[in-house]
Amino acid sequence: VVAFNDDLEYWGVNPLWLEQCCQNKFLTRKEFLDDAMEKDASLLKKEADEYWGEGCCARSQQFLWDLFEKPESSLAAKVISWVSVLFVVVSTVAMVLNTMPEMEGPKDERGNPTDNTILSMMETVCILWFTIEYLLRFFGAPKKCAFLKDAMNIVDVLAILPYYISLLVMEITLAKDGDEGSFHELQKVVSVFR
């Protein structure tokens, strides 16, 4: 197809002047090849932008980057991709269930509702996975500033941060006056932002 297209261009023949049967076959195959070459060019450009240097950690960084950012690069990367999706689903379901009054834990000594222990533990494990994944992706990123400015990575931080803020606020509140009731109300507000 490429050679035939080159011949047509060389002789100044417009592909639309071909017979209908030949024209359809030629244009379909040419369009397919153009798309494939465009995809290959974009992959090459993307790989050219991903340069880790020649340092001792460059190979490890590239391995981490491929593992977490390119699920098509290996079976392990594909598994990690699916595990990440599973954690997102589990985290979302646990967070939704945790807001339902039927799923609340036992009341504390003041009569305030507490979080369901199992759902809270699931959420903690999920946040821990998201944090580790984000940090490993950051360490593997070829361009750290571009990684931090990327919209999806900002969303990741905004999804993880409320959990750690709520932990910090809980520690400060309990250390200050030992009142968990006001923290529980604040925790509900912070969970909205997650």
Side-chain angles (χ1 to χ4, degrees):
V1 173
V2 174
F4 186 66
N5 186 52
D6 289 344
D7 288 345
L8 289 177
E9 286 180 10
Y10 177 78
W11 294 106
V13 178
N14 189 334
L16 298 175
W17 296 345
L18 297 173
E19 290 294 325
Q20 188 68 27
C21 64
C22 298
Q23 179 185 15
N24 288 339
K25 260 188 199 178
F26 172 72
L27 291 177
T28 302
R29 290 180 181 170
K30 184 176 183 286
E31 184 177 322
F32 176 76
L33 280 175
D34 288 345
D35 289 344
M37 290 188 340
E38 189 175 305
K39 284 180 186 176
D40 288 346
S42 68
L43 282 174
L44 288 173
K45 183 184 181 303
K46 189 174 184 181
E47 287 177 7
D49 289 343
E50 295 175 355
Y51 179 69
W52 286 268
E54 301 297 326
C56 60
C57 297
R59 202 162 169 216
S60 300
Q61 284 181 296
Q62 185 174 6
F63 174 77
L64 282 174
W65 186 253
D66 289 345
L67 193 64
F68 285 97
E69 288 292 324
K70 297 179 181 177
E72 71 280 353
S73 66
S74 68
L75 178 62
K78 205 172 282 191
V79 169
I80 286 180
S81 172
W82 281 104
V83 168
S84 290
V85 170
L86 180 69
F87 271 105
V88 168
V89 171
V90 168
S91 174
T92 304
V93 169
M95 190 170 34
V96 169
L97 289 176
N98 212 12
T99 61
M100 297 173 63
E102 299 85 24
M103 299 302 288
E104 286 179 350
K107 306 271 187 207
D108 65 4
E109 61 274 352
R110 294 185 178 174
N112 295 326
T114 59
D115 285 339
N116 185 315
T117 310
I118 295 171
L119 294 175
S120 294
M121 186 60 67
M122 287 173 60
E123 185 179 0
T124 301
V125 169
C126 290
I127 292 293
L128 183 63
W129 168 261
F130 297 143
T131 304
I132 290 170
E133 180 187 26
Y134 181 83
L135 291 174
L136 289 175
R137 285 175 34 234
F138 175 75
F139 292 137
K143 297 180 180 177
K144 307 290 191 240
C145 288
F147 178 85
L148 292 173
K149 292 177 184 177
D150 184 60
M152 291 306 293
N153 295 327
I154 292 171
V155 169
D156 288 346
V157 168
L158 292 177
I160 295 170
L161 210 53
Y163 179 80
Y164 292 108
I165 291 172
S166 66
L167 283 180
L168 183 66
V169 169
M170 181 174 73
E171 288 299 318
I172 292 171
T173 304
L174 290 176
K176 186 176 175 186
D177 47 72
D179 182 22
E180 251 184 76
S182 60
F183 169 73
H184 188 68
E185 294 168 9
L186 179 64
Q187 190 177 22
K188 294 291 183 188
V189 172
V190 170
S191 70
V192 169
F193 291 109
R194 275 193 258 160

